[in-house]
Amino acid sequence: MPEAGDYLALDVAGESVLLVRTRELGLAAYYNVCRHRGSQLVAEGSHGRFTSGIRCPYHSWTYTLEGALRTAPFLDEGAAVTKSELSLHPIGVESWGGFIFLNLTPAEAAGRGYTLAAQLAAVPERLCRYPLDELRTARRIVYQVQANWKVMLENYNECYHCGPVHPELCRLVPAFRQLGGADLDWERGIPHREGAWTFTQSGTSTRSPFAGLNDDERVRHKGELIYPNLLLSLSAEHVAAFTLWPRGPEQTTIVCEFLFHPGEIGKPEFDPSDAVEFWDLVNRQDWTICESVQRGMRSRVFQSGYYAPMESASLDIRRYMREKLGEGVQSVKGER
Ligand SMILES: [Fe+2]
């Protein structure tokens, strides 16, 4: 969305969100709802460019890119309309690393200290040598998974399952299989097998590692889970970024984007298939097992799970959920 007036309509947990590039080339987002009678301003899932403000198709009320009501045809201000009170309902927008983050209740979030910086915590520092801002999406795969989004996050949080579920991945990264995935040093990065340095079928690539990585990062793999719905898997020459979009209690759309440096994308021989095909294999193994978990949890005998010590990172999601749901939630069985 490079130009002023560029827009994108997104479905965020059932709310239609209108993301806009403002005149000053900042980002703004609004509920996709006209303040007049509630008509949606643009079609869900659409994108394009506003040339003269945001015009509601119903009665042509028009808003500036900054969300202020500019014209309400044939209505005199004062009689029926006080324009300054009828700005579009705002949605919080912040960005980091080329990603845009939205908050549906920005006033409440600010009051509770739920800023993007607080949410990201030490992630930007840990990934400071990866040129995330510069990377571009070379390939995108969209998966429809019949499982709750939290099942996928818990799965991403542990490598206890890597041995049984991901034989090809464990051949590339034997450390994932050792000790059931315990004692993995994610901070320093996970080493590949001898001679391998990235997440491709061969473990190597003709693409160059990102400039600026340290010696570990040039040959190791890193991963970050940014709550609530962004997973970043970082190799030396590409990044797989997953966003999870809940569509219902048992349904999640997962958008997997493969990010590369523009210097590589611009080469005539550029072909990301080696990374994409390897990831697609691993992804499908994960989604299949997550769907099995979802079906199993429907059973009348399933009350709660048991978390082994090597799954302790999954505590993160339990803490996150409890914090967001508030005081009324009882402690989770098995949590230490
Ligand atoms: Fe997995």
Side-chain angles (χ1 to χ4, degrees):
M1 302 173 53
E3 304 285 338
D6 283 349
Y7 73 87
L8 192 58
L10 301 156
D11 175 344
V12 179
E15 285 286 355
S16 183
V17 172
L18 176 58
L19 178 66
V20 178
R21 183 68 71 182
T22 65
R23 265 176 311 180
E24 310 267 275
L25 301 182
L27 285 169
Y30 313 103
Y31 285 85
N32 183 20
V33 177
C34 183
R35 292 299 304 267
H36 176 212
R37 296 265 297 281
S39 167
Q40 293 197 314
L41 299 161
V42 298
E44 288 187 43
S46 64
H47 62 91
R49 183 171 299 164
F50 298 120
T51 49
S52 59
I54 304 167
R55 191 179 67 81
C56 177
Y58 199 1
H59 303 89
S60 286
W61 281 30
T62 306
Y63 304 84
T64 66
L65 299 177
E66 291 69 35
L69 177 60
R70 191 170 63 199
T71 51
F74 309 111
L75 285 181
D76 294 329
E77 184 160 24
V81 185
T82 307
K83 285 183 188 160
S84 62
E85 291 171 7
L86 291 173
S87 297
L88 295 176
H89 291 289
I91 281 172
V93 191
E94 292 186 84
S95 61
W96 164 77
F99 297 96
I100 296 166
F101 297 80
L102 303 170
N103 191 304
L104 295 178
T105 52
E108 185 196 339
R112 297 174 74 172
Y114 290 163
T115 60
L116 177 62
Q119 192 77 352
L120 293 172
V123 172
E125 177 57 32
R126 285 200 292 268
L127 302 185
C128 63
R129 286 172 295 277
Y130 293 83
L132 289 172
D133 280 322
E134 299 168 33
L135 304 186
R136 294 289 177 268
T137 302
R139 202 73 80 76
R140 176 182 288 116
I141 306 180
V142 179
Y143 301 93
Q144 304 297 343
V145 185
Q146 307 303 312
N148 186 279
W149 62 285
K150 298 186 293 299
V151 172
M152 261 83 74
L153 293 192
E154 285 196 316
N155 178 74
Y156 189 78
N157 255 345
E158 49 90 358
C159 222
Y160 192 17
H161 75 275
C162 291
V165 172
H166 302 305
E168 300 83 358
L169 178 59
C170 287
R171 277 199 285 280
L172 176 67
V173 186
F176 280 159
R177 196 168 28 206
Q178 289 152 20
L179 301 171
D183 295 334
L184 293 170
D185 185 354
W186 285 103
E187 193 107 352
R188 202 180 150 198
I190 312 301
H192 302 75
R193 69 168 150 71
E194 191 64 42
W197 57 275
T198 187
F199 262 36
T200 58
Q201 210 68 262
S202 67
T204 63
S205 170
T206 54
R207 293 177 292 273
S208 303
F210 302 132
L213 298 183
N214 67 26
D215 288 346
D216 278 339
E217 290 162 343
R218 291 168 75 88
V219 292
R220 289 174 176 240
H221 186 78
K222 290 192 177 184
E224 296 283 358
L225 194 170
I226 296 157
Y227 288 102
N229 72 333
L230 173 63
L231 320 179
L232 291 180
S233 291
L234 305 106
S235 291
E237 48 70 45
H238 76 270
V239 173
F242 302 80
T243 45
L244 277 57
W245 302 81
R247 299 298 183 210
E250 301 195 334
Q251 221 180 6
T252 307
T253 299
I254 301 182
V255 180
C256 179
E257 294 177 300
F258 298 92
L259 312 179
F260 296 84
H261 198 274
E264 292 292 343
I265 295 174
K267 292 179 180 171
E269 70 272 20
F270 175 73
D271 178 6
S273 305
D274 54 347
V276 173
E277 281 165 17
F278 186 70
W279 270 111
D280 188 42
L281 171 77
V282 175
N283 290 345
R284 287 173 192 281
Q285 292 166 338
D286 278 323
W287 315 151
T288 298
I289 204 70
C290 288
E291 289 182 336
S292 165
V293 169
Q294 189 69 49
R295 287 193 300 273
M297 289 194 302
R298 281 194 211 124
S299 167
R300 68 174 68 197
V301 298
F302 184 85
Q303 297 298 323
S304 66
Y306 172 82
Y307 295 90
M310 56 279 272
E311 294 169 280
S312 59
S314 290
L315 261 178
D316 293 358
I317 189 171
R318 285 169 274 164
R319 287 200 194 98
Y320 175 83
M321 292 309 297
R322 188 152 60 173
E323 185 192 322
K324 294 295 177 287
L325 292 171
E327 295 297 315
V329 181
Q330 299 300 305
S331 86
V332 180
K333 203 174 169 185
E335 181 179 320
R336 285 184 265 296

